[in-house]
Amino acid sequence: MFNDLKVSAFLAARSIQRGGRGRNAMYIVIIALVLTNMIFLPSVIMGAMDVYYEQTIDYISSDVIIKPPEDVRYIDDVETLLATVNRVPGVVRASARYPMAGSIDFEDKTVAMEIDAFNPRDETEVTKFHKHITEGDFLGSGDRDQILVGSLVAGNKDDIGEFYASLGGATVGDVVTVRYANSVVREYRIKGIINTKSYQADYMVFVTKDEMDAVTGTGGAQATEVLIKTVTNEDAPLVKKRILQFGVGEDVRTWEEALPDVVSESIESFAIINMISVFGGLVIAVVLIFIMTTIKTFNNRKQIGILKAIGLKKGIIINSYVMQVIFICLIGTVLGSLLLGMMVLYFTTFPIEFPDGNVTPIVTWSMIIENTALLFISSAVAGFIPAWRVVNEGILEAIRGG
Amino acid sequence: MDDYISAEGLRKVYTMGMVEVRAINGVSFSIRKGDFVGITGSSGSGKSTLLHMLGLLDPPSEGTIAIDGTDVIPLSEAEKGVFRLSRFGFIFQDYALVPELTAEENVSLVAMARGDNADSYARRARELLSRVGLGDRTTHLPSELSGGEQQRVAIARALINKPEILFADEPCANLDSTNSRAVLDLFREINRTMNLTVIMVSHESWHIEYCDRVVRLHDGKIEEDFRPEKRDLTITP
């Protein structure tokens, strides 16, 4: 058995070394491109998903989020809840959000939307809005007559191509009128413009919690969610467990659990696109290898017949063709991996600009191993079948038919 | 001297559409060890079919073949493969050398497949190539050799496993008369010096002068089985 493999390897090595180098080089390049194609698109999709997850954590839900129990609109006694959560090991800080529906007027534009409120000191420890103020400043604790506006809400003078209703180019220092759902009307000076590149985050406006208390009047503002930042590298499900152990009765979710259904559906859709892309790549590889081996074995029919006649086992001959395919795949995957590495390096230095942010392709070892294994197995099968067919032909048929 | 190869009642029937072709139709004969047997006959007489049956490449429709006392017909395909590898040498009209292997590698291949020691088969391959007059061309690829030289490599390949019987199917069909004579001289020398049984198919009448015995076939039957008048064949150096 080992000797048979040795003879197959010898025949395969000589065939690669001395037979049709240009043709083999072409096959290797095609396999390299197939592997690149199989991995690159998924890596970009994975990069885009990673950007989305990062934005969700940085602006929308943080690492863990607490919402009121089902069928309850507000969180009861949020101050006590914040004090409790801030004591939980692994929690950096919790920040409550106090929204109220309303509309914002600026010049002749009106945008109907939810106005959110937070405690600026808590918020800077929990989200990254304060790091993405492109104009002006972040809100301060004592700010009462100022508002922070997302760049998509502020809009542009020329609003052609804007997807959302905007204030038509409001800038820092402009005064906007906010009409709250409880009929309170306030005028605010825009203190800062947020630009995070996240559609969701950039279509938000914020006032301070003190201001929302004043707008709400008796009883103060009511929170609908509490965002919780965990210590770096802390396991979110573990922190969630600890929070529940501290007696919190609200709906506690990790950021992954809090992702809307539409995101899970998008992930599934991307997975299908990935599968189609991988399948397409594999089909190209299989067809290529099949044609390559078919041509080679049919051209060598007479030679194969005579090798069988002089006593070489079928397995030796078949394996020599399969080994040639495996060798081409091996060099092709090495070349493909190098090519992929260069592409990832380039797009890490110059990220791909997506509407939701700059995307860097993410290539994991599992992606490389899975796709390489798929490529090897399918190519080996594609190489084996034509070799097996020709080798199983009768000796005399092969000798006469060649 | 005992019979080394014995064939009894061999028949080979091919069906070509509605027509039944009797390629070999009741052939019985035996061959002694060390004989140089020529099988001749006109085209379609069944000479190659007979050689293929004796060489275990094609089973007969009827009849028995015994080689050195072994009934070879019931052997499985794999057993026949081992039998061919260890006891037979084959030379075909087309040399069918592996184009990516040098002369030495082509010769070594069957010994390598048999699992022989690498040093021993490399040395033997070089010796055989020297013996067939290609000692200085061991590293040449088939594409760098003439037809006659390629056939000589094929002969060396057939001899590497020290076979007991050498089957040659029209070995000179693609060669000019000079190269043909060189190849036949070589067969004769091998036959004499190695006591190798040689069974050669040829349609050239002048080839019979190299044979100890000639079996002439006609329409699948033995028409003539004779020992040609011997003359002194000078081995071409």
Side-chain angles (χ1 to χ4, degrees):
Chain A
M1 178 71 183
F2 177 74
N3 187 63
D4 289 356
L5 288 174
K6 204 174 86 177
V7 179
S8 299
F10 170 73
L11 285 171
R14 288 291 182 268
S15 179
I16 292 281
Q17 191 185 347
R18 295 175 184 152
R21 284 185 192 176
R23 201 172 49 232
N24 286 337
M26 186 187 76
Y27 294 142
I28 287 169
V29 168
I30 293 173
I31 292 291
L33 293 177
V34 165
L35 183 79
T36 309
N37 176 59
M38 284 169 76
I39 298 178
F40 188 67
L41 180 64
S43 77
V44 171
I45 292 172
M46 197 182 256
M49 295 310 300
D50 198 58
V51 166
Y52 182 81
Y53 293 153
E54 218 169 87
Q55 289 175 343
T56 300
I57 293 168
D58 289 347
Y59 311 113
I60 311 301
S61 67
S62 198
D63 298 312
V64 178
I65 187 166
I66 299 177
K67 292 190 173 188
E70 209 177 339
D71 299 328
V72 178
R73 199 169 168 191
Y74 299 108
I75 294 171
D76 240 6
D77 194 7
V78 73
E79 292 305 326
T80 308
L81 176 65
L82 287 172
T84 306
V85 171
N86 282 329
R87 286 203 315 272
V88 174
V91 170
V92 173
R93 194 76 186 171
S95 175
R97 292 272 177 88
Y98 309 85
M100 187 185 284
S103 65
I104 309 169
D105 298 340
F106 175 67
E107 295 175 347
D108 60 337
K109 304 277 186 182
T110 299
V111 177
M113 63 185 302
E114 201 173 67
I115 291 91
D116 239 315
F118 54 58
N119 178 335
R121 201 178 69 80
D122 291 342
E123 193 70 14
T124 51
E125 290 192 59
V126 174
T127 65
K128 290 186 178 170
F129 281 111
H130 62 288
K131 291 182 178 170
H132 294 275
I133 305 294
T134 50
E135 287 177 61
D137 298 301
F138 193 65
L139 290 172
S141 289
D143 290 340
R144 291 285 306 276
D145 56 351
Q146 305 197 78
I147 191 168
L148 206 56
V149 177
S151 58
L152 294 176
V153 179
N156 298 297
K157 289 274 183 217
D158 175 10
D159 60 1
I160 295 169
E162 285 184 356
F163 285 114
Y164 304 98
S166 78
L167 299 177
T171 58
V172 170
D174 287 339
V175 174
V176 296
T177 304
V178 176
R179 297 172 195 282
Y180 288 97
N182 64 355
S183 304
V184 173
V185 178
R186 307 289 272 234
E187 287 200 336
Y188 298 120
R189 192 180 69 83
I190 296 175
K191 189 175 184 184
I193 305 281
I194 306 162
N195 192 349
T196 63
K197 286 205 161 186
S198 155
Y199 269 108
Q200 274 180 288
D202 290 347
Y203 206 68
M204 286 177 152
V205 292
F206 296 102
V207 294
T208 60
K209 196 255 178 186
D210 291 345
E211 172 58 16
M212 192 59 88
D213 279 343
V215 168
T216 311
T218 322
Q222 289 183 293
T224 56
E225 55 190 27
V226 171
L227 278 58
I228 301 157
K229 184 77 197 159
T230 63
V231 173
T232 310
N233 296 330
E234 186 71 278
D235 186 34
L238 185 66
V239 175
K240 171 190 163 177
K241 197 174 159 190
R242 286 188 201 137
I243 291 169
L244 292 171
Q245 283 168 345
F246 268 65
V248 171
E250 274 75 12
D251 182 10
V252 184
R253 295 182 189 185
T254 63
W255 66 271
E256 274 178 300
E257 293 165 346
L259 285 173
D261 288 345
V262 67
V263 176
S264 321
E265 284 165 15
S266 303
I267 293 169
E268 273 176 34
S269 303
F270 283 138
I272 291 169
I273 295 170
N274 271 354
M275 272 173 60
I276 293 169
S277 163
V278 166
F279 182 72
L282 280 180
V283 167
I284 294 170
V286 164
V287 169
L288 171 86
I289 297 291
F290 191 87
I291 292 172
M292 175 192 102
T293 318
T294 301
I295 293 172
K296 223 171 182 177
T297 48
F298 268 83
N299 283 343
N300 293 345
R301 271 173 87 193
K302 179 167 281 182
Q303 183 194 306
I304 289 170
I306 288 178
L307 289 178
K308 276 168 61 187
I310 61 177
L312 254 69
K313 291 180 194 162
K314 288 178 189 177
I316 291 177
I317 302 168
I318 294 172
N319 286 339
S320 78
Y321 285 99
V322 173
M323 281 179 183
Q324 286 176 55
V325 167
I326 288 175
F327 178 81
I328 285 171
C329 276
L330 184 72
I331 303 295
T333 49
V334 169
L335 184 67
S337 301
L338 284 174
L339 201 63
L340 199 67
M342 276 155 53
M343 285 168 79
V344 170
L345 197 68
Y346 178 82
F347 287 114
T348 303
T349 315
F350 307 103
I352 306 163
E353 290 193 14
F354 272 38
D356 254 2
N358 291 340
V359 172
T360 300
I362 295 175
V363 177
T364 61
W365 279 110
S366 68
M367 278 164 86
I368 294 177
I369 293 167
E370 259 175 45
N371 286 290
T372 305
L374 270 176
L375 193 60
F376 267 78
I377 293 166
S378 43
S379 299
V381 171
F384 174 85
I385 292 169
W388 180 83
R389 275 172 53 192
V390 170
V391 169
N392 274 291
E393 227 180 7
I395 292 175
L396 295 177
E397 277 171 58
I399 292 173
R400 288 177 190 140
Chain B
M1 203 179 285
D2 291 335
D3 293 341
Y4 185 59
I5 302 170
S6 157
E8 281 297 325
L10 289 183
R11 286 179 204 280
K12 184 72 188 179
V13 181
Y14 295 108
T15 308
M16 297 173 80
M18 302 291 285
V19 185
E20 217 176 50
V21 179
R22 293 175 185 277
I24 294 292
N25 192 10
V27 169
S28 300
F29 73 113
S30 55
I31 296 171
R32 291 181 307 193
K33 190 167 174 60
D35 259 1
F36 189 145
V37 179
I39 302 176
T40 66
S42 56
S43 180
S45 59
K47 51 190 187 298
S48 286
T49 306
L50 181 61
L51 182 101
H52 294 153
M53 287 195 290
L54 295 173
L56 308 188
L57 300 177
D58 198 14
S61 306
E62 268 179 51
T64 58
I65 300 170
I67 296 172
D68 197 17
T70 306
D71 181 2
V72 291
I73 302 299
L75 296 180
S76 69
E77 275 308 307
E79 285 168 335
K80 283 179 184 171
V82 173
F83 208 93
R84 288 196 298 267
L85 181 68
S86 55
R87 303 181 76 163
F88 296 172
F90 283 97
I91 295 155
F92 294 91
Q93 179 178 330
D94 286 294
Y95 337 114
L97 302 174
V98 181
E100 295 92 6
L101 301 185
T102 62
E104 184 183 324
E105 289 166 342
N106 263 296
V107 174
S108 303
L109 185 61
V110 276
M112 193 189 282
R114 210 168 66 160
D116 291 358
N117 173 277
D119 290 336
S120 112
Y121 65 65
R123 192 179 57 248
R124 187 160 163 73
R126 284 193 294 272
E127 278 170 15
L128 283 167
L129 283 168
S130 296
R131 188 162 186 177
V132 299
L134 295 173
D136 57 343
R137 318 212 75 180
T138 55
T139 57
H140 287 234
L141 293 171
S143 58
E144 296 162 344
L145 301 171
S146 70
E149 287 171 330
Q150 287 187 56
Q151 191 61 298
R152 279 189 275 161
V153 175
I155 293 168
R157 179 177 67 181
L159 298 175
I160 186 83
N161 280 350
K162 299 179 183 166
E164 294 160 16
I165 309 166
L166 186 67
F167 292 97
D169 188 4
E170 303 271 14
C172 304
N174 290 339
L175 303 177
D176 58 26
S177 57
T178 312
N179 275 309
S180 294
R181 197 163 283 282
V183 165
L184 292 170
D185 284 344
L186 194 57
F187 280 178
R188 185 76 187 171
E189 186 203 337
I190 291 162
N191 169 249
R192 289 285 175 267
T193 58
M194 295 168 75
N195 193 31
L196 194 69
T197 307
V198 179
I199 303 174
M200 179 180 77
V201 163
S202 175
H203 62 272
E204 294 281 352
S205 54
W206 65 270
H207 289 180
I208 63 170
E209 66 195 54
Y210 287 87
C211 303
D212 298 324
R213 178 181 165 197
V214 175
V215 175
R216 195 187 306 282
L217 295 180
H218 181 70
D219 289 343
K221 289 182 176 170
I222 296 177
E223 186 185 56
E224 207 180 353
D225 187 344
F226 63 99
R227 290 194 173 267
E229 201 175 309
K230 286 286 147 189
R231 68 183 180 88
D232 183 26
L233 292 166
T234 307
I235 307 296
T236 311

